[in-house]
Amino acid sequence: SGVRIVGVIDADNSVENFAGIPVFASIDAMGVPFDGLMVTDIKNSAEIYLSAVDRLGADRVVAPALLGLSYLAQREPVS
C-alpha cells in the first residue's frame, strides 16, 4: 500500500510507544519526516483536523468517514 505509520500524536498520552509506534505530544515534537496525517480523535476531531490542515495543507490531512468531517474538506483555505 505504500503507507507507513511513523508516529502517533497524542498530547495527553504518557506512553512513549503505542503498538510499537512512537508517540509524540504534537506535530512539532515529531522528529521524523512524514508525508501526511490521519485524524482519528473522536472528541475534538474537527478542531484537530482544521489545525492540521492549516499547518500542513488539505492535501496532506485525511480523516476516516466515520468522523463526519467531509464538510470541512470542502472549506476555503485560510489566507
Side-chain angles (χ1 to χ4, degrees), residues 6-69:
V6 296
V8 173
I9 300 171
D10 186 348
D12 298 326
N13 201 333
S14 60
V15 299
E16 292 184 17
N17 289 287
F18 176 77
I21 300 167
V23 176
F24 303 97
S26 67
I27 292 173
D28 294 328
M30 290 191 65
V32 294
F34 62 96
D35 296 320
L37 184 140
M38 176 181 281
V39 175
T40 59
D41 187 290
I42 59 172
K43 293 180 184 175
N44 301 309
S45 55
E47 178 184 338
I48 291 169
Y49 178 86
L50 292 173
S51 176
V53 166
D54 286 344
R55 291 274 318 270
L56 305 172
D59 59 327
R60 295 181 64 194
V61 181
V62 297
L66 66 94
L67 292 180
L69 301 176

